[in-house]
Coordinates of all heavy atoms in Angstrom, one line a residue:
I16 N 17.4 -2.0 -16.2 CA 16.7 -0.9 -15.6 C 16.9 0.4 -16.5 O 16.0 1.1 -16.7 CB 17.3 -0.6 -14.2 CG1 16.9 -1.7 -13.3 CG2 16.8 0.8 -13.7 CD1 17.4 -1.6 -11.9
R17 N 18.1 0.5 -17.1 CA 18.2 1.7 -18.0 C 18.8 1.1 -19.3 O 19.5 0.2 -19.3 CB 19.1 2.8 -17.4 CG 20.5 2.4 -17.2 CD 21.3 3.5 -16.6 NE 22.6 2.9 -16.1 CZ 23.7 3.6 -16.1 NH1 23.7 4.8 -16.4 NH2 24.8 2.9 -15.7
T18 N 18.5 1.8 -20.4 CA 18.9 1.3 -21.7 C 19.4 2.5 -22.5 O 18.9 3.6 -22.4 CB 17.8 0.7 -22.4 OG1 17.1 -0.3 -21.6 CG2 18.2 0.1 -23.7
S19 N 20.5 2.3 -23.2 CA 21.0 3.3 -24.1 C 21.2 2.7 -25.5 O 21.5 1.6 -25.7 CB 22.3 3.9 -23.6 OG 23.3 2.9 -23.7
L20 N 21.0 3.6 -26.5 CA 21.2 3.3 -27.9 C 22.4 3.9 -28.4 O 22.6 4.0 -29.6 CB 19.9 3.6 -28.7 CG 18.7 2.8 -28.5 CD1 17.5 3.4 -29.2 CD2 18.9 1.4 -28.9
A21 N 23.4 4.2 -27.6 CA 24.6 4.9 -28.0 C 25.5 4.0 -28.8 O 26.4 4.4 -29.5 CB 25.3 5.5 -26.8
E22 N 25.5 2.7 -28.6 CA 26.4 1.7 -29.2 C 26.2 1.7 -30.7 O 27.1 2.1 -31.5 CB 26.3 0.3 -28.6 CG 26.7 0.3 -27.1 CD 28.1 0.7 -26.8 OE1 29.0 0.3 -27.6 OE2 28.4 1.4 -25.9
D23 N 25.2 1.1 -31.1 CA 24.9 1.0 -32.6 C 23.6 1.6 -33.1 O 23.4 1.8 -34.2 CB 25.1 -0.5 -33.1 CG 24.1 -1.4 -32.3 OD1 23.2 -1.0 -31.7 OD2 24.3 -2.6 -32.5
G24 N 22.6 1.8 -32.1 CA 21.4 2.4 -32.5 C 20.4 1.5 -33.2 O 19.4 2.0 -33.7
K25 N 20.7 0.2 -33.3 CA 19.8 -0.7 -34.1 C 18.8 -1.4 -33.2 O 17.6 -1.3 -33.5 CB 20.6 -1.6 -34.9 CG 21.5 -1.0 -35.9 CD 22.3 -2.0 -36.7 CE 23.1 -1.3 -37.8 NZ 24.0 -2.2 -38.4
E26 N 19.3 -2.1 -32.2 CA 18.5 -2.8 -31.3 C 18.8 -2.5 -29.8 O 19.9 -2.3 -29.4 CB 18.7 -4.4 -31.5 CG 18.1 -4.9 -32.8 CD 18.3 -6.4 -32.9 OE1 18.1 -7.0 -31.8 OE2 18.4 -6.9 -34.0
I27 N 17.7 -2.5 -29.1 CA 17.9 -2.1 -27.6 C 18.4 -3.3 -26.9 O 19.2 -3.2 -26.0 CB 16.5 -1.7 -27.1 CG1 16.0 -0.4 -27.6 CG2 16.6 -1.7 -25.5 CD1 14.7 0.1 -27.1
S28 N 18.1 -4.6 -27.3 CA 18.5 -5.7 -26.5 C 20.1 -5.9 -26.4 O 20.5 -6.5 -25.4 CB 17.9 -7.0 -27.2 OG 18.4 -7.2 -28.5
D29 N 20.8 -5.5 -27.5 CA 22.2 -5.6 -27.3 C 22.9 -4.5 -26.6 O 24.1 -4.5 -26.3 CB 22.9 -5.9 -28.7 CG 22.7 -4.7 -29.6 OD1 21.8 -3.8 -29.4 OD2 23.5 -4.6 -30.6
D30 N 22.2 -3.4 -26.3 CA 22.7 -2.3 -25.6 C 22.2 -2.1 -24.3 O 22.5 -1.1 -23.5 CB 22.4 -1.0 -26.4 CG 23.0 -1.1 -27.8 OD1 24.1 -1.6 -28.0 OD2 22.4 -0.4 -28.7
A31 N 21.4 -3.0 -23.7 CA 20.8 -2.9 -22.5 C 21.8 -2.9 -21.3 O 22.8 -3.7 -21.4 CB 19.7 -3.9 -22.2
L32 N 21.6 -2.1 -20.3 CA 22.5 -2.1 -19.2 C 21.6 -2.2 -17.9 O 20.5 -1.8 -17.8 CB 23.3 -0.8 -19.1 CG 24.2 -0.5 -20.2 CD1 24.8 0.9 -20.0 CD2 25.3 -1.6 -20.3
N33 N 22.2 -2.8 -16.8 CA 21.5 -2.8 -15.5 C 21.8 -1.4 -14.8 O 22.5 -0.6 -15.4 CB 21.9 -4.0 -14.6 CG 23.3 -4.0 -14.2 OD1 24.1 -3.0 -14.2 ND2 23.8 -5.2 -13.7
Y34 N 21.4 -1.2 -13.6 CA 21.5 0.0 -12.9 C 23.0 0.3 -12.6 O 23.3 1.5 -12.5 CB 20.7 0.0 -11.6 CG 20.7 1.2 -10.8 CD1 20.0 2.3 -11.2 CD2 21.5 1.3 -9.6 CE1 20.0 3.5 -10.5 CE2 21.5 2.5 -8.9 CZ 20.7 3.6 -9.3 OH 20.7 4.8 -8.6
H35 N 23.8 -0.7 -12.5 CA 25.2 -0.4 -12.2 C 26.1 -0.4 -13.4 O 27.3 -0.3 -13.3 CB 25.8 -1.5 -11.2 CG 25.0 -1.6 -10.0 ND1 25.1 -0.7 -9.0 CD2 24.0 -2.6 -9.6 CE1 24.3 -1.1 -8.0 NE2 23.7 -2.1 -8.3
G36 N 25.5 -0.4 -14.6 CA 26.3 -0.3 -15.8 C 26.7 -1.7 -16.4 O 27.4 -1.7 -17.4
G37 N 26.4 -2.8 -15.8 CA 26.7 -4.1 -16.3 C 25.6 -4.7 -17.2 O 24.6 -4.0 -17.4
K38 N 25.9 -5.8 -17.8 CA 25.0 -6.5 -18.6 C 23.8 -7.0 -17.8 O 24.0 -7.4 -16.6 CB 25.6 -7.7 -19.4 CG 26.6 -7.2 -20.4 CD 26.0 -6.4 -21.5 CE 27.0 -6.0 -22.6 NZ 26.5 -5.1 -23.5
P39 N 22.6 -7.0 -18.3 CA 21.5 -7.5 -17.5 C 21.7 -9.0 -17.1 O 22.2 -9.8 -17.9 CB 20.3 -7.3 -18.5 CG 20.7 -6.4 -19.5 CD 22.2 -6.5 -19.6
G40 N 21.3 -9.3 -15.9 CA 21.4 -10.7 -15.4 C 20.0 -11.2 -15.0 O 19.1 -10.5 -15.1
N41 N 20.0 -12.4 -14.5 CA 18.7 -13.0 -14.1 C 18.7 -13.5 -12.7 O 17.8 -14.2 -12.3 CB 18.3 -14.1 -15.1 CG 19.4 -15.2 -15.2 OD1 20.4 -15.2 -14.5 ND2 19.2 -16.1 -16.1
Y42 N 19.8 -13.3 -11.9 CA 20.0 -13.8 -10.6 C 20.4 -12.7 -9.7 O 21.5 -12.2 -9.9 CB 20.9 -15.0 -10.5 CG 21.1 -15.6 -9.1 CD1 20.0 -16.1 -8.5 CD2 22.4 -15.6 -8.6 CE1 20.2 -16.7 -7.2 CE2 22.6 -16.2 -7.3 CZ 21.5 -16.7 -6.7 OH 21.7 -17.2 -5.4
Y43 N 19.6 -12.3 -8.7 CA 20.0 -11.2 -7.8 C 21.0 -11.6 -6.7 O 21.7 -10.8 -6.2 CB 18.8 -10.6 -7.1 CG 18.0 -9.7 -8.0 CD1 16.7 -10.1 -8.5 CD2 18.5 -8.5 -8.5 CE1 16.0 -9.3 -9.4 CE2 17.7 -7.6 -9.3 CZ 16.5 -8.1 -9.8 OH 15.7 -7.3 -10.6
G44 N 21.0 -12.8 -6.4 CA 21.9 -13.3 -5.4 C 21.2 -14.0 -4.2 O 19.9 -14.3 -4.3
A45 N 21.9 -14.3 -3.2 CA 21.3 -15.0 -2.0 C 21.6 -14.3 -0.7 O 22.7 -13.6 -0.6 CB 22.0 -16.4 -1.9
E46 N 20.7 -14.2 0.2 CA 20.9 -13.5 1.4 C 20.8 -14.5 2.6 O 19.9 -15.4 2.7 CB 19.7 -12.5 1.6 CG 19.9 -11.7 2.9 CD 18.8 -10.6 3.1 OE1 18.8 -9.7 2.2 OE2 18.1 -10.6 4.1
I47 N 21.7 -14.4 3.5 CA 21.8 -15.3 4.7 C 21.4 -14.5 5.9 O 22.1 -13.4 6.1 CB 23.2 -15.9 4.8 CG1 23.5 -16.8 3.6 CG2 23.2 -16.8 6.1 CD1 24.9 -17.2 3.5
D48 N 20.4 -14.8 6.7 CA 20.0 -14.0 7.8 C 20.3 -14.8 9.1 O 20.1 -16.1 9.1 CB 18.6 -13.7 7.8 CG 18.2 -12.8 6.6 OD1 19.1 -11.9 6.3 OD2 17.2 -12.9 6.0
F49 N 20.5 -14.2 10.2 CA 20.8 -14.8 11.5 C 20.2 -13.8 12.5 O 20.4 -12.6 12.5 CB 22.3 -15.0 11.7 CG 22.6 -15.7 13.0 CD1 22.3 -17.1 13.2 CD2 23.1 -15.0 14.0 CE1 22.6 -17.7 14.3 CE2 23.5 -15.6 15.2 CZ 23.2 -17.0 15.4
Q50 N 19.5 -14.4 13.6 CA 18.9 -13.7 14.7 C 19.0 -14.5 15.9 O 18.7 -15.6 16.0 CB 17.4 -13.3 14.4 CG 16.8 -12.5 15.5 CD 15.4 -12.3 15.3 OE1 14.7 -13.1 14.7 NE2 14.9 -11.1 15.7
V51 N 19.5 -13.7 17.0 CA 19.5 -14.3 18.3 C 18.7 -13.4 19.3 O 18.9 -12.1 19.2 CB 21.0 -14.5 18.9 CG1 21.0 -14.9 20.3 CG2 21.8 -15.4 18.0
R52 N 17.9 -13.9 20.1 CA 17.1 -13.1 21.0 C 17.1 -13.6 22.4 O 17.0 -14.8 22.6 CB 15.6 -13.1 20.5 CG 14.7 -12.2 21.3 CD 13.4 -12.0 20.7 NE 12.6 -11.2 21.5 CZ 11.5 -10.5 21.1 NH1 11.2 -10.6 19.9 NH2 10.7 -9.8 21.9
Y53 N 17.3 -12.7 23.4 CA 17.3 -13.1 24.8 C 16.2 -12.4 25.5 O 16.1 -11.2 25.4 CB 18.7 -12.8 25.4 CG 18.7 -13.1 26.9 CD1 18.9 -14.4 27.3 CD2 18.7 -12.1 27.8 CE1 18.9 -14.7 28.7 CE2 18.8 -12.3 29.2 CZ 18.9 -13.7 29.6 OH 18.9 -13.9 30.9
E54 N 15.4 -13.2 26.4 CA 14.3 -12.5 27.1 C 14.6 -12.7 28.6 O 15.0 -13.7 29.1 CB 13.0 -13.3 26.8 CG 12.6 -13.1 25.3 CD 11.3 -13.8 25.0 OE1 10.5 -14.1 26.0 OE2 11.0 -14.1 23.8
L55 N 14.3 -11.6 29.3 CA 14.5 -11.6 30.8 C 13.1 -11.1 31.4 O 12.7 -10.0 31.2 CB 15.6 -10.7 31.2 CG 15.8 -10.6 32.7 CD1 16.3 -11.9 33.2 CD2 16.9 -9.6 33.0
A56 N 12.5 -12.0 32.1 CA 11.2 -11.8 32.8 C 10.1 -11.2 31.9 O 9.3 -10.4 32.4 CB 11.5 -10.8 34.0
D57 N 10.1 -11.5 30.7 CA 9.0 -11.0 29.7 C 9.0 -9.5 29.7 O 7.9 -9.0 29.3 CB 7.7 -11.7 30.1 CG 7.6 -13.1 29.8 OD1 8.4 -13.6 28.9 OD2 6.8 -13.8 30.4
V58 N 10.0 -8.8 30.1 CA 10.0 -7.4 30.1 C 11.1 -6.8 29.3 O 11.0 -5.9 28.5 CB 10.1 -6.8 31.5 CG1 10.1 -5.3 31.6 CG2 8.9 -7.3 32.3
F59 N 12.3 -7.4 29.4 CA 13.5 -6.9 28.8 C 13.9 -7.9 27.6 O 13.9 -9.1 27.8 CB 14.7 -6.9 29.7 CG 14.5 -5.8 30.9 CD1 14.2 -6.3 32.1 CD2 14.7 -4.5 30.6 CE1 14.0 -5.3 33.1 CE2 14.6 -3.6 31.6 CZ 14.2 -4.0 32.9
F60 N 14.2 -7.3 26.5 CA 14.6 -8.1 25.4 C 15.9 -7.6 24.7 O 16.0 -6.4 24.6 CB 13.4 -8.1 24.3 CG 12.1 -8.7 24.7 CD1 11.2 -7.8 25.2 CD2 11.9 -10.0 24.7 CE1 9.9 -8.2 25.7 CE2 10.7 -10.5 25.2 CZ 9.7 -9.6 25.6
W61 N 16.7 -8.5 24.3 CA 18.0 -8.1 23.7 C 18.0 -9.0 22.4 O 18.0 -10.2 22.4 CB 19.2 -8.4 24.5 CG 20.5 -8.2 23.8 CD1 20.9 -7.0 23.1 CD2 21.6 -9.1 23.8 NE1 22.1 -7.2 22.6 CE2 22.6 -8.4 23.0 CE3 21.8 -10.3 24.4 CZ2 23.8 -9.0 22.8 CZ3 23.1 -10.9 24.1 CH2 24.0 -10.3 23.4
T62 N 18.1 -8.3 21.3 CA 18.2 -9.0 19.9 C 19.4 -8.6 19.2 O 19.7 -7.4 19.1 CB 16.9 -8.6 19.2 OG1 15.8 -8.9 19.9 CG2 16.8 -9.3 17.8
V63 N 20.1 -9.5 18.6 CA 21.2 -9.3 17.6 C 20.8 -9.9 16.3 O 20.5 -11.2 16.3 CB 22.6 -9.9 18.2 CG1 23.6 -9.7 17.2 CG2 22.9 -9.3 19.5
E64 N 20.8 -9.2 15.3 CA 20.5 -9.6 13.9 C 21.7 -9.4 13.0 O 22.3 -8.3 13.1 CB 19.3 -8.9 13.4 CG 18.0 -9.2 14.1 CD 16.8 -8.4 13.5 OE1 17.0 -7.3 13.0 OE2 15.7 -9.0 13.6
S65 N 21.9 -10.2 12.0 CA 22.8 -10.0 11.0 C 22.3 -10.6 9.7 O 21.5 -11.5 9.7 CB 24.2 -10.7 11.4 OG 24.0 -12.1 11.5
A66 N 22.9 -10.1 8.6 CA 22.5 -10.5 7.3 C 23.7 -10.3 6.3 O 24.5 -9.4 6.5 CB 21.3 -9.7 6.7
L67 N 23.8 -11.2 5.4 CA 24.9 -11.3 4.4 C 24.3 -11.4 3.0 O 23.5 -12.3 2.8 CB 25.9 -12.3 4.7 CG 27.0 -12.5 3.6 CD1 27.9 -11.3 3.6 CD2 27.8 -13.7 3.9
L68 N 24.6 -10.5 2.1 CA 24.1 -10.6 0.7 C 25.2 -11.1 -0.1 O 26.3 -10.4 -0.3 CB 23.5 -9.3 0.2 CG 23.1 -9.3 -1.3 CD1 22.0 -10.2 -1.6 CD2 22.7 -7.9 -1.8
L69 N 25.0 -12.2 -0.8 CA 26.0 -12.7 -1.8 C 25.5 -12.4 -3.1 O 24.5 -13.0 -3.6 CB 26.3 -14.2 -1.7 CG 26.6 -14.6 -0.2 CD1 26.6 -16.1 -0.1 CD2 28.1 -14.1 0.0
P70 N 26.0 -11.3 -3.9 CA 25.3 -10.8 -5.1 C 25.4 -11.8 -6.2 O 26.4 -12.5 -6.4 CB 26.0 -9.6 -5.3 CG 27.3 -9.6 -4.6 CD 27.1 -10.6 -3.5
G71 N 24.4 -11.8 -7.1 CA 24.4 -12.6 -8.3 C 24.7 -11.7 -9.5 O 25.0 -10.5 -9.4
D72 N 24.5 -12.2 -10.7 CA 25.0 -11.5 -11.9 C 24.1 -10.4 -12.3 O 24.6 -9.5 -13.0 CB 25.0 -12.5 -13.1 CG 23.6 -13.1 -13.5 OD1 22.7 -13.0 -12.6 OD2 23.5 -13.7 -14.5
A73 N 22.9 -10.2 -11.7 CA 22.1 -9.1 -12.0 C 22.6 -7.8 -11.3 O 22.2 -6.7 -11.7 CB 20.6 -9.3 -11.6
L74 N 23.4 -8.0 -10.4 CA 24.0 -6.8 -9.6 C 25.5 -6.4 -10.0 O 26.1 -5.6 -9.4 CB 24.0 -7.1 -8.1 CG 22.6 -7.3 -7.5 CD1 22.7 -7.6 -6.0 CD2 21.7 -6.1 -7.8
Y75 N 26.0 -7.1 -11.0 CA 27.3 -6.8 -11.5 C 27.4 -5.4 -12.2 O 26.5 -5.0 -12.8 CB 27.8 -7.9 -12.5 CG 28.1 -9.2 -11.8 CD1 28.4 -10.3 -12.7 CD2 28.1 -9.4 -10.5 CE1 28.7 -11.6 -12.1 CE2 28.4 -10.7 -10.0 CZ 28.7 -11.7 -10.8 OH 29.0 -12.9 -10.3
N76 N 28.6 -4.8 -12.0 CA 28.9 -3.5 -12.6 C 29.5 -3.8 -14.0 O 29.6 -4.9 -14.5 CB 29.7 -2.6 -11.8 CG 31.1 -3.1 -11.5 OD1 31.5 -4.1 -12.1 ND2 31.8 -2.5 -10.6
E77 N 30.0 -2.7 -14.7 CA 30.5 -2.9 -16.0 C 31.8 -3.7 -16.1 O 32.2 -4.2 -17.1 CB 30.7 -1.5 -16.6 CG 31.8 -0.7 -16.0 CD 31.3 0.2 -14.9 OE1 30.1 0.1 -14.4 OE2 32.0 1.1 -14.4
H78 N 32.4 -3.9 -14.9 CA 33.7 -4.7 -14.8 C 33.4 -6.1 -14.4 O 34.3 -6.9 -14.2 CB 34.7 -4.1 -13.8 CG 35.0 -2.6 -14.1 ND1 35.7 -2.3 -15.2 CD2 34.7 -1.5 -13.5 CE1 35.8 -1.0 -15.3 NE2 35.2 -0.5 -14.3
G79 N 32.2 -6.5 -14.2 CA 31.8 -7.9 -13.9 C 32.0 -8.2 -12.4 O 32.1 -9.4 -12.1
R80 N 31.9 -7.2 -11.5 CA 32.1 -7.3 -10.1 C 30.9 -6.7 -9.4 O 30.2 -5.8 -9.8 CB 33.3 -6.6 -9.7 CG 34.6 -7.3 -10.2 CD 35.8 -6.6 -9.6 NE 35.8 -5.2 -10.1 CZ 36.9 -4.6 -10.5 NH1 38.1 -5.2 -10.5 NH2 36.8 -3.3 -10.9
A81 N 30.6 -7.4 -8.2 CA 29.6 -6.8 -7.3 C 30.1 -6.8 -5.8 O 30.8 -7.7 -5.5 CB 28.3 -7.6 -7.5
V82 N 29.6 -5.9 -5.1 CA 30.1 -5.8 -3.6 C 29.2 -6.6 -2.8 O 27.9 -6.5 -2.8 CB 30.1 -4.3 -3.2 CG1 30.6 -4.2 -1.8 CG2 31.1 -3.5 -4.1
R83 N 29.8 -7.4 -1.9 CA 29.0 -8.1 -0.9 C 28.5 -7.1 0.2 O 29.2 -6.2 0.6 CB 29.8 -9.1 -0.2 CG 30.1 -10.3 -1.0 CD 30.8 -11.4 -0.2 NE 31.1 -12.5 -1.0 CZ 32.0 -13.5 -0.7 NH1 32.5 -13.5 0.4 NH2 32.2 -14.5 -1.6
S84 N 27.3 -7.2 0.6 CA 26.7 -6.3 1.6 C 26.4 -7.1 2.9 O 26.1 -8.3 2.8 CB 25.4 -5.7 1.0 OG 25.6 -5.0 -0.2
F85 N 26.5 -6.4 4.0 CA 26.2 -7.0 5.3 C 25.5 -6.0 6.1 O 25.6 -4.8 6.0 CB 27.4 -7.6 5.9 CG 28.5 -6.5 6.3 CD1 28.5 -6.0 7.5 CD2 29.5 -6.1 5.4 CE1 29.4 -5.0 7.8 CE2 30.4 -5.2 5.7 CZ 30.4 -4.6 6.9
L86 N 24.8 -6.6 7.1 CA 24.1 -5.8 8.1 C 24.3 -6.4 9.5 O 24.3 -7.6 9.6 CB 22.6 -5.8 7.9 CG 21.7 -5.3 9.0 CD1 21.6 -3.8 9.0 CD2 20.3 -5.9 8.8
L87 N 24.5 -5.6 10.5 CA 24.6 -6.0 11.9 C 23.8 -5.0 12.8 O 24.1 -3.9 12.7 CB 26.1 -6.1 12.3 CG 26.3 -6.6 13.8 CD1 25.9 -8.0 13.9 CD2 27.8 -6.4 14.2
E88 N 22.9 -5.6 13.5 CA 22.0 -4.8 14.3 C 22.0 -5.3 15.7 O 21.8 -6.5 15.9 CB 20.6 -4.7 13.8 CG 19.7 -3.8 14.5 CD 18.3 -3.7 13.8 OE1 17.8 -4.8 13.4 OE2 17.8 -2.7 13.6
N89 N 22.0 -4.4 16.7 CA 21.9 -4.8 18.1 C 20.8 -3.9 18.7 O 20.9 -2.7 18.6 CB 23.3 -4.4 18.8 CG 23.4 -4.9 20.2 OD1 22.5 -5.7 20.7 ND2 24.3 -4.3 21.0
R90 N 19.8 -4.7 19.3 CA 18.6 -3.9 19.8 C 18.3 -4.3 21.2 O 18.2 -5.5 21.6 CB 17.5 -4.3 18.8 CG 16.2 -3.5 19.1 CD 15.2 -3.7 18.0 NE 14.9 -5.1 17.7 CZ 15.0 -5.7 16.6 NH1 15.5 -5.0 15.5 NH2 14.7 -7.0 16.5
F91 N 18.0 -3.3 22.1 CA 17.5 -3.5 23.4 C 16.1 -3.0 23.5 O 15.9 -1.9 23.0 CB 18.4 -2.8 24.5 CG 19.7 -3.4 24.6 CD1 20.8 -2.8 23.9 CD2 20.0 -4.4 25.4 CE1 22.1 -3.2 24.0 CE2 21.3 -4.9 25.5 CZ 22.3 -4.3 24.8
E92 N 15.2 -3.8 24.2 CA 13.8 -3.4 24.3 C 13.3 -3.5 25.6 O 13.7 -4.4 26.4 CB 12.9 -4.2 23.3 CG 13.3 -4.2 21.9 CD 12.6 -5.3 21.0 OE1 11.4 -5.5 21.4 OE2 13.1 -5.7 20.0
L93 N 12.4 -2.6 26.1 CA 11.8 -2.7 27.3 C 10.3 -2.6 27.0 O 9.8 -1.6 26.5 CB 12.2 -1.5 28.2 CG 11.4 -1.3 29.5 CD1 11.6 -2.5 30.4 CD2 11.8 0.0 30.2
V94 N 9.6 -3.6 27.4 CA 8.1 -3.7 27.2 C 7.4 -3.5 28.4 O 7.6 -4.2 29.4 CB 7.7 -5.0 26.5 CG1 6.2 -5.1 26.2 CG2 8.5 -5.3 25.2
F95 N 6.5 -2.5 28.5 CA 5.7 -2.2 29.7 C 4.3 -2.1 29.4 O 3.8 -1.9 28.3 CB 6.2 -1.1 30.5 CG 6.4 0.2 29.6 CD1 5.3 1.1 29.7 CD2 7.5 0.5 28.9 CE1 5.4 2.2 28.9 CE2 7.6 1.7 28.2 CZ 6.5 2.5 28.2

């Protein structure tokens, strides 16, 4: 995503960095999603959603690490 020529100034390919400061990668990672929905009388709905991102090498920082991300959502709906 960003490139600097501060290292040697000869070629861009050996100085390229990703957005987090790590070396460019080719795998963003895998996401696991889960959803449970409950319906009552076709009027009330309750939904619980969750997601987990297992990052790949394209998201590593300059130390070769990436943070796992997660989402948890609880939703109540009334349809009229």
Side-chain angles (χ1 to χ4, degrees):
I16 294 179
R17 67 181 167 150
T18 305
S19 68
L20 288 172
E22 297 296 323
D23 59 13
K25 294 179 182 176
E26 290 188 30
I27 292 176
S28 61
D29 65 341
D30 298 328
L32 300 173
N33 67 16
Y34 184 73
H35 302 287
K38 295 292 180 188
N41 56 7
Y42 178 60
Y43 284 109
E46 181 175 301
I47 301 168
D48 297 323
F49 181 72
Q50 180 184 35
V51 175
R52 183 173 177 155
Y53 177 74
E54 299 180 16
L55 179 65
D57 291 333
V58 177
F59 297 101
F60 299 95
W61 174 49
T62 305
V63 177
E64 293 179 329
S65 63
L67 173 66
L68 174 65
L69 305 170
D72 63 348
L74 300 177
Y75 287 173
N76 63 11
E77 66 271 12
H78 304 293
R80 294 182 296 221
V82 178
R83 288 185 181 169
S84 302
F85 63 92
L86 166 82
L87 181 63
E88 181 179 48
N89 186 17
R90 186 171 56 236
F91 292 98
E92 301 173 30
L93 171 64
V94 179
F95 54 92

